[in-house]
Amino acid sequence: MWKFLHRLSSLKYFYEWSGKWVPWLLGLTAVLMLVGLYWGLLVAPADYQQGESYRIIYVHVPSAWMSMFVYVVMAGAGFVAIVWRTKLSEIVVSECAIIGATFTALALVTGMLWGKPTWGTYWQWDARMTSELILLFLYFGIIAVHSVIEEPRTAARVASILAIIGVINIPIIHYSVTWWSSLHQPNMQLISKTPSVHPSMLYPLLVMATAFQFYFVSLLLIRMRNAILYRERITNWVKNSLARD
Amino acid sequence: MLDVFLTVIRRDLLLAYRRRADLMNPILLYVIVATLFPLGISPDAEFLARLAPGLVWVTTLLAALISMESIFRQDFEDGSIEQLFLSPHPFSLLVLGKVVAHWLITAFPMLVIVPLMAMLLHMPVQAVPVLWITILLGTPILSLIGAIGAALTAGFRGGGVLLGLLVLPLYVPVLIFASLAVSAAADGLAVSGQLAMLGAGLILALLLAPFAISASLKISMG
């Protein structure tokens, strides 16, 4: 297994190896997403309080989960990048930042769209929304690092340190914001008291969550392959493999 | 080891003392910003008193951020950081010395000026000591976290704005607990919980930040 990991850290080997996986992953993503959307949007029953508007959770909740999951992946890759200085993990850090920021923005936007019919306002300084917004700022910071620092390897190492600090800080930020909002807005308790979800709504949600996971992995691989081609553009293997296609 | 640590602090304090006219500038900025709030919002005393904890702390956050940019810049350009790195002593201890010196120079004067600002903003008298304690506990955290950002951006053009983007989201917990403590004190409520959280944050930052700062400086040096 170590031998395989070692070989995988070679950009050329990874490029060829991941090329075989991308179509399968994309296919699986498409199937899961279609099943999940059909089940969630058409089959699952309407909520007795919120009616049809609750159905946005089939996009909102998986995006919110992914926004945090991607951050953890990024920090893990950042740790590897700092300790072993592998180029591949540096690429993971750089690419995760953009994907993660997109998931976070998607979670915020879908949350706002849901908030308008349900709470009567697009934005509330509710604990979860606020900490999600701060998470988006953390992602923006890491993306900004890549635009300010031109040398990609240095930028990735700076981003790695930030990702690791962020992972320590996110729970602290989350709990401080929770405490802050519970002291300032006791009337918002109604959202945290979500009734446990009925299986008929839960299963399509889990399918969508799995679909989002596969979507993330496929997107990450595609982005990484592009980044590898760009970084290694002066090498012969890139020229040869592009000439072959 | 303590000797080296103190030597670094003494050197930075001496350098700052030689240019002591610069020392007043952050304080002046702090006071001027505080005067802008009544002008921009309302001179109404009750209204200002409600906003005062947040206003003082947001100003502190920004003042800390602005001052952070200079912490490593000069030493980075003249090569002193590299010399510190090459010395046989633990690098993280030496950079901690630099952060302590920087805190003494920039944040310590805030402790003097903050009661004045609180009065200007009509903060209730019983909240002022608590405000003072939150500044005492909170600003070292700001310095330690800010120093990580400053270390990461020291070697690059356009690092100044980037520093704000990187560091301000990480300042959120300090802002929340500090201004909650001051608001609670203004309402006559207990504040020990919030102060304990700030203290815990300070200990955590003191333990972890020096390593992050030294790792970041190593990256910036290339």
Side-chain angles (χ1 to χ4, degrees):
Chain A
M1 179 177 133
W2 287 114
K3 205 175 158 195
F4 172 70
L5 277 182
H6 188 69
R7 273 215 307 200
L8 207 55
S9 68
S10 135
L11 294 188
K12 176 174 182 281
Y13 183 81
F14 179 84
Y15 183 80
E16 285 156 4
W17 176 83
S18 60
K20 289 176 222 148
W21 282 92
V22 168
W24 293 99
L25 287 167
L26 277 177
L28 204 54
T29 308
V31 170
L32 282 168
M33 197 123 359
L34 283 173
V35 170
L37 283 176
Y38 179 75
W39 196 350
L41 297 185
L42 298 170
V43 179
D47 188 83
Y48 80 102
Q49 272 180 325
Q50 302 172 21
E52 304 290 344
S53 70
Y54 93 94
R55 291 185 196 279
I56 203 162
I57 65 157
Y58 294 115
V59 180
H60 173 72
V61 173
S63 331
W65 283 343
M66 291 311 292
S67 68
M68 286 172 265
F69 178 78
V70 175
Y71 203 97
V72 176
V73 170
M74 184 169 72
F79 183 75
V80 175
I82 292 292
V83 177
W84 287 286
R85 303 195 175 199
T86 47
K87 274 190 193 169
L88 196 65
S89 47
E90 291 171 4
I91 295 175
V92 174
V93 174
S94 314
E95 300 307 324
C96 273
I98 294 167
I99 304 175
T102 318
F103 278 126
T104 315
L106 192 62
L108 279 169
V109 169
T110 50
M112 287 163 83
L113 291 178
W114 174 84
K116 185 64 185 172
T118 319
W119 301 339
T121 169
Y122 285 114
W123 187 261
Q124 272 283 357
W125 288 100
D126 151 67
R128 276 192 254 180
M129 293 179 89
T130 312
S131 47
E132 192 75 4
L133 183 66
I134 295 167
L135 181 65
L136 184 66
F137 293 157
L138 289 173
Y139 274 122
F140 281 164
I142 290 178
I143 295 173
V145 164
H146 287 96
S147 63
V148 170
I149 302 173
E150 279 160 19
E151 214 282 300
R153 293 207 68 175
T154 318
R157 291 168 62 72
V158 170
S160 303
I161 296 250
L162 281 168
I164 295 166
I165 296 166
V167 137
I168 301 170
N169 250 286
I170 283 172
I172 301 176
I173 293 175
H174 181 77
Y175 284 109
S176 59
V177 169
T178 309
W179 195 4
W180 160 78
S181 81
S182 65
L183 280 181
H184 277 237
Q185 300 164 299
N187 56 337
M188 293 305 294
Q189 284 303 316
L190 129 194
I191 355 137
S192 60
K193 244 194 301 181
T194 5
S196 58
V197 187
H198 190 265
S200 62
M201 296 176 181
L202 181 66
Y203 292 137
L205 183 61
L206 292 179
V207 173
M208 280 306 282
T210 323
F212 267 62
Q213 286 278 354
F214 278 103
Y215 179 57
F216 161 62
V217 176
S218 347
L219 209 57
L220 181 63
L221 286 186
I222 294 171
R223 292 195 65 100
M224 284 173 71
R225 284 164 57 80
N226 289 339
I228 289 172
L229 284 186
Y230 184 71
R231 281 200 191 192
E232 304 280 289
R233 61 191 178 279
I234 41 164
T235 60
N236 274 327
W237 73 264
V238 169
K239 283 175 192 154
N240 291 339
S241 84
L242 288 182
R244 243 185 291 135
D245 296 338
Chain B
M1 202 176 276
L2 190 66
D3 273 359
V4 194
F5 181 67
L6 293 177
T7 311
V8 173
I9 297 180
R10 204 175 301 129
R11 168 189 175 267
D12 279 21
L13 290 182
L14 190 65
L15 281 176
Y17 181 72
R18 297 243 168 92
R19 310 178 53 180
R20 47 193 171 278
D22 287 0
L23 291 181
M24 280 311 289
N25 294 347
I27 299 303
L28 282 176
L29 188 74
Y30 202 56
V31 176
I32 292 173
V33 171
T35 359
L36 294 181
F37 287 123
L39 294 173
I41 301 170
S42 153
D44 178 50
E46 256 176 61
F47 194 56
L48 278 178
R50 278 187 58 78
L51 294 176
L55 295 183
V56 172
W57 258 98
V58 170
T59 316
T60 308
L61 235 59
L62 294 176
L65 180 73
I66 293 171
S67 74
M68 279 334 284
E69 216 206 320
S70 62
I71 178 169
F72 297 123
R73 184 132 299 183
Q74 207 186 344
D75 285 350
F76 205 85
E77 279 163 6
D78 67 15
S80 313
I81 289 284
E82 276 169 30
Q83 294 306 316
L84 286 181
F85 177 58
L86 291 173
S87 79
H89 308 288
F91 190 43
S92 42
L93 188 73
L94 301 178
V95 288
L96 180 63
K98 288 194 71 67
V99 177
V100 170
H102 186 263
W103 179 78
L104 286 172
I105 296 160
T106 56
F108 203 68
M110 282 183 194
L111 290 172
V112 184
I113 210 75
V114 127
L116 181 69
M117 276 185 64
M119 277 163 56
L120 287 177
L121 295 172
H122 298 286
M123 191 183 281
V125 182
Q126 76 267 26
V128 176
V130 176
L131 173 67
W132 203 79
I133 297 172
T134 59
I135 297 275
L136 188 67
L137 289 175
T139 47
I141 309 180
L142 301 184
S143 291
L144 286 162
I145 299 177
I148 304 174
L152 285 173
T153 54
F156 309 102
R157 281 190 195 288
V161 184
L162 183 62
L163 177 64
L165 279 179
L166 301 184
V167 162
L168 279 179
L170 300 175
Y171 279 177
V172 165
V174 178
L175 172 68
I176 288 177
F177 288 120
S179 55
L180 271 184
V182 182
S183 302
D187 295 341
L189 302 172
V191 294
S192 53
Q194 289 90 325
L195 293 184
M197 288 303 288
L198 277 180
L202 177 55
I203 292 168
L204 190 70
L206 264 177
L207 284 175
L208 297 180
F211 299 105
I213 300 167
S214 60
S216 310
L217 280 172
K218 279 177 215 164
I219 292 176
S220 289
M221 283 187 289

